[in-house]
């Protein structure tokens, strides 16, 4: 049998000597946007409020929706169909309508048998009340489009995904029709469309969604039927801890209740099972939703003017706006990490998805042998030396932030091999989250005349799943993005998305022996809505519907 079986849907990785046994996931219970993620070109978010005086009618409405909720198994079938078509040289097939649902603590109090014992303080308190996030406005009463107060936080958030705009529209119409037929028991208070931009970028123009952890787990009783396809040469020690270079394998209890968590001291080891406070939490996950507005005009103005000012200083005479923007993000627009190429974007970095995340910060990463898969690499299968394996070049170390500054977004939220204020790099694995966001609003216009008249109404619908909002998302947001000293010391905020209510964000740019302080006077990314939710299992949804 070959090391890799590229045509198989059930042999999705090699047998790796010494690898731990991974548990079979409940594929018909876990909602599909948690695992493996919808991956659709379009989404629509609908926020719903329930009438506390009509809970039986709310349960009836929910019961009619459960069969339309997409599971891990169903969503993974769509992922396999896309991969199969691409391998056969066919166009990407259109994913049919996919649907998931999650509930705020207020919604759960109406439907679940018990709620207040949930131990996650952030979830029970609610996003708007969490002052540590650094969000503008008054805690509990923020001037947001959605979720600024308990009254404006949806009891349920429905996520619809599809590739075809017609399929998405019809799905939303059907859902809204069921809401209208509930006689006021359920009403829609928020409706937002999202769409993947050309080139899969966010509105500042940078490729998004490149880096994700790889949740461990199998989809069946077959030994090699992994949720996350594995690509590393099984003879390389990296195959024990990574699904691909730069994508660490993380035990699923970090993302879904009822499974083993990540051991904070040993990357390969499983920790205790992440059990929820109640049995109905098994196979469910917390969902963080953030409606983030992006001011493209301000961002471009800053990098242009700041780069021009820095060129007048010793050591920065060749700094151009593109390099400064890449330093702020940690990648070039097409996705090349500045750690892999400090001079500029590679011609097609996403043409080789197995190399784009192969870098660290504290230590140089060596070359690694990987599967020669034409779907994830420019190199054709026959070009590999032995038909199955090819080599990815390594990347240098950068402990001081000379190539990738300590204020760069990719370094602040994922310090990789660095020791941080939370402990060693194995502890960083316990902070990882599954991002499922999508952009909203029209692309920023190229025409200067249109730019002058532009409303600026665009941004990112940030969606992320985890099993501890307090100890995952809020650590990343509060202690790392918003604090100058996190995660690795010094005085560097996350200049891209961090918030600092006490004053301007700041960071230090290095060039050889020269250093320059950078302090944007305004924020380019502003929270304008959001909430904390829980996405239950299919069985839990059925129990909520029956009471």
């Amino acid at each position: 049998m070959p090391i890799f079986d590229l045509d198989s849907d059930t042999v999705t990785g090699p047998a790796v000597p010494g690898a731990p046994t991974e548990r079979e996931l409940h594929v018909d219970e876990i909602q599909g946007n948690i695992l493996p993620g919808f991956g659709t070109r379009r989404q629509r978010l609908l926020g719903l409020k329930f009438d506390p005086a009509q809970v039986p009618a709310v349960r009836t409405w929910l019961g009619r929706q459960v069969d339309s909720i997409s599971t891990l198994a169903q969503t993974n079938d769509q992922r396999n169909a896309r991969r199969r078509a691409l391998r056969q040289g066919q166009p990407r097939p259109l994913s049919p309508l996919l649907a998931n649902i999650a509930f705020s603590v207020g919604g759960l109090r109406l439907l679940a048998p018990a709620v207040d014992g949930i131990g996650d303080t952030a979830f029970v308190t609610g996003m708007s009340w969490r002052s540590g996030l650094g969000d503008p406005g008054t805690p509990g009463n923020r001037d947001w489009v959605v979720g600024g107060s308990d009254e404006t936080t949806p009891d349920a958030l429905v996520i619809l995904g599809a590739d075809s705009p017609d399929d998405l529209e019809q799905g939303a119409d059907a859902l809204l029709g069921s809401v209208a037929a509930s006689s006021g028991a359920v009403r829609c208070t928020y409706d937002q469309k999202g769409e993947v931009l050309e080139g899969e970028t966010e509105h500042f123009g940078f490729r998004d969604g490149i880096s994700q952890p790889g949740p461990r787990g199998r989809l069946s009783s077959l030994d090699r039927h992994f949720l996350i396809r594995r690509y590393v040469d099984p003879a390389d020690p990296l195959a024990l801890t990574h699904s691909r270079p730069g994508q660490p394998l993380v035990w699923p209890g970090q993302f879904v209740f009822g499974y083993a968590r990540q051991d904070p001291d040993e990357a390969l080891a499983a920790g205790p099972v992440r059990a929820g406070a109640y049995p109905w939490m098994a196979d469910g996950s917390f969902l963080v939703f953030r409606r983030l507005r992006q001011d493209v005009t301000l961002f471009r103005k800053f990098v242009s003017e700041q780069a021009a000012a820095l060129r007048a200083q010793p050591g920065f005479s060749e700094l151009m706006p593109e390099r400064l923007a890449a330093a702020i993000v940690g990648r070039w627009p097409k996705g090349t990490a500045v750690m892999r190429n400090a001079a500029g974007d590679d011609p097609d970095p996403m043409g080789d998805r197995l190399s784009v995340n192969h870098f660290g910060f504290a230590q140089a990463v060596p070359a690694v042998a990987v599967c020669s898969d034409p779907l994830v690499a420019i190199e054709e299968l026959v070009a590999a030396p032995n038909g199955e394996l090819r080599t990815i070049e390594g990347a240098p170390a950068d402990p001081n932030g000379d190539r990738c500054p300590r204020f760069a977004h990719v370094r602040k939220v994922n310090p990789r091999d660095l020791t941080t204020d939370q402990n060693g790099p194995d502890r960083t694995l316990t902070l990882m989250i599954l991002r499922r966001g999508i952009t909203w609003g029209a692309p920023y216009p190229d025409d200067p005349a249109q730019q002058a008249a532009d409303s600026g109404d665009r941004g990112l619908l940030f969606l992320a799943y985890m099993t501890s909002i307090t100890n995952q998302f809020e650590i990343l947001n509060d202690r790392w993005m918003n604090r100058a000293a996190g995660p690795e010391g010094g005085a560097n905020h996350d200049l891209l998305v961090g918030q600092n209510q006490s004053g301007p964000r700041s960071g230090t740019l290095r060039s050889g022996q020269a250093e320059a302080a950078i302090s944007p006077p305004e924020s380019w990314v502003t929270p304008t809505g959001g909430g904390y939710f829980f996405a239950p299992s299919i069985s839990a949804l059925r129990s909520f519907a029956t009471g």
Side-chain angles (χ1 to χ4, degrees):
M1 177 182 288
I3 298 174
F4 302 96
D5 191 342
L6 303 183
D7 291 314
S8 175
D9 291 343
T10 58
V11 179
T12 55
V16 179
T21 300
E22 298 180 25
R23 181 179 165 185
E24 188 176 342
L25 302 168
H26 296 155
V27 298
D28 294 318
E29 289 287 349
I30 299 169
Q31 294 195 47
N33 201 35
I34 305 170
L35 297 174
F38 283 170
T40 55
R41 311 298 293 181
R42 292 173 173 82
Q43 289 186 20
R44 190 160 169 180
L45 273 56
L46 298 168
L48 308 177
K49 290 292 284 187
F50 301 150
D51 183 354
Q54 299 189 65
V55 173
V58 174
R59 294 188 190 279
T60 298
W61 172 86
L62 178 60
R64 292 170 178 163
Q65 311 308 314
V66 174
D67 286 342
S68 66
I69 300 302
S70 307
T71 65
L72 187 165
Q74 294 166 335
T75 307
N76 192 65
D77 285 345
Q78 298 305 314
R79 180 174 66 169
N80 285 337
R82 291 195 293 265
R83 178 179 175 83
R84 197 176 305 116
L86 290 172
R87 284 197 59 78
Q88 296 171 357
Q90 300 173 355
R92 171 189 165 116
L94 296 180
S95 291
L97 183 74
L98 301 170
N100 274 187
I101 189 169
F103 302 90
S104 66
V105 67
L108 288 180
R109 286 193 175 112
L110 297 177
L111 300 173
V115 171
D116 291 335
I118 293 176
D120 195 284
T121 303
F123 174 73
V124 175
T125 303
M127 179 181 290
S128 178
W129 290 94
R130 303 294 282 177
S131 58
L133 296 179
D135 294 343
T138 303
N141 189 27
R142 303 184 193 276
D143 185 21
W144 282 355
V145 173
V146 58
S149 65
D150 292 342
E151 292 73 21
T152 60
T153 297
D155 292 321
L157 184 70
V158 176
I159 303 172
L160 302 177
D163 286 329
S164 162
D166 291 339
D167 288 345
L168 190 63
E169 191 79 14
Q170 291 171 11
D173 287 347
L175 181 73
L176 292 173
S178 73
V179 167
S182 73
S183 301
V186 184
R187 55 193 174 89
C188 182
T189 58
Y190 174 68
D191 187 344
Q192 180 83 64
K193 295 179 181 179
E195 184 173 351
V196 175
L197 297 178
E198 184 178 354
E200 299 183 10
T201 68
E202 45 71 53
H203 285 289
F204 293 147
F206 289 81
R207 189 106 184 191
D208 195 28
I210 296 174
S211 178
Q212 292 271 22
R216 290 186 183 272
R218 291 180 294 113
L219 299 182
S220 73
S221 60
L222 299 172
D223 288 342
R224 295 171 63 182
H225 191 192
F226 302 111
L227 167 69
I228 301 298
R229 196 171 287 266
R230 315 293 167 87
Y231 292 95
V232 180
D233 178 2
D236 192 308
L238 191 70
L240 292 170
T241 56
H242 285 68
S243 56
R244 62 177 73 187
Q247 184 178 49
L249 289 165
V250 180
W251 289 93
Q254 296 301 133
F255 316 113
V256 184
F257 286 96
Y259 299 89
R261 293 180 291 175
Q262 184 69 36
D263 188 304
D265 300 313
E266 173 54 54
L268 187 61
V273 169
R274 177 68 164 126
Y278 303 103
W280 56 260
M281 295 179 70
D283 291 308
S285 180
F286 288 124
L287 167 64
V288 173
F289 163 47
R290 304 270 281 171
R291 184 184 190 273
L292 304 174
R293 182 180 181 274
Q294 294 178 257
D295 194 320
V296 180
T297 299
L298 275 183
F299 177 77
R300 292 187 176 186
K301 180 175 182 289
F302 174 81
V303 296
S304 177
E305 294 179 351
Q306 182 70 72
L310 288 174
R311 284 197 297 274
Q313 297 186 25
F316 297 95
S317 60
E318 297 182 359
L319 181 68
M320 301 304 294
E322 295 79 10
R323 178 64 179 92
L324 179 58
I328 291 171
V329 176
R331 292 187 187 271
W332 295 92
K334 292 180 181 179
T336 303
V338 296
M339 284 301 304
R340 291 192 63 82
N341 189 345
D345 243 328
D346 294 329
D348 184 12
M350 296 307 292
D352 190 351
R353 293 175 180 263
L354 296 186
S355 68
V356 72
N357 285 308
H358 188 42
F359 63 91
F361 298 113
Q363 305 290 333
V365 297
V368 59
V370 297
C371 171
S372 185
D373 182 351
L375 282 188
V376 292
I378 300 170
E379 184 176 7
E380 293 293 340
L381 186 62
V382 295
N386 65 2
E388 282 198 88
L389 295 172
R390 64 187 179 89
T391 300
I392 291 176
E393 296 302 319
D398 187 32
N400 297 321
D402 296 305
R403 291 172 70 96
C404 183
R406 291 182 172 180
F407 57 70
H409 178 64
V410 302
R411 187 165 179 149
K412 290 285 283 187
V413 298
N414 186 8
R416 296 174 181 254
D417 59 343
L418 290 166
T419 296
T420 75
D421 55 3
Q422 301 298 306
N423 217 326
D426 291 342
R427 163 65 171 151
T428 297
L429 297 177
T430 70
L431 306 180
M432 291 190 163
I433 59 180
L434 295 174
R435 293 177 294 119
R436 305 292 187 230
I438 195 168
T439 50
W440 60 272
Y444 190 70
D446 294 326
D447 186 347
Q450 293 179 336
Q451 292 173 6
D454 183 66
S455 67
D457 194 27
R458 61 178 56 84
L460 178 71
L461 301 174
F462 175 91
L463 299 163
Y465 293 95
M466 66 214 72
T467 52
S468 177
I469 297 173
T470 303
N471 294 320
Q472 288 173 264
F473 169 74
E474 289 200 349
I475 286 180
L476 297 178
N477 193 99
D478 178 25
R479 300 189 189 181
W480 284 5
M481 291 193 300
N482 292 355
R483 296 192 190 184
E488 54 182 313
N492 292 275
H493 292 94
D494 185 327
L495 297 188
L496 185 68
V497 298
Q499 306 290 321
N500 181 21
Q501 297 303 304
S502 63
R505 308 178 317 286
S506 61
T508 300
L509 184 67
R510 298 166 59 93
S511 177
Q513 298 300 312
E515 293 186 353
I518 298 177
S519 184
E522 300 169 290
S523 293
W524 313 309
V525 178
T526 306
T528 57
Y532 292 151
F533 299 87
F534 182 78
S537 69
I538 302 302
S539 292
L541 289 174
R542 295 193 190 283
S543 71
F544 294 170
T546 59

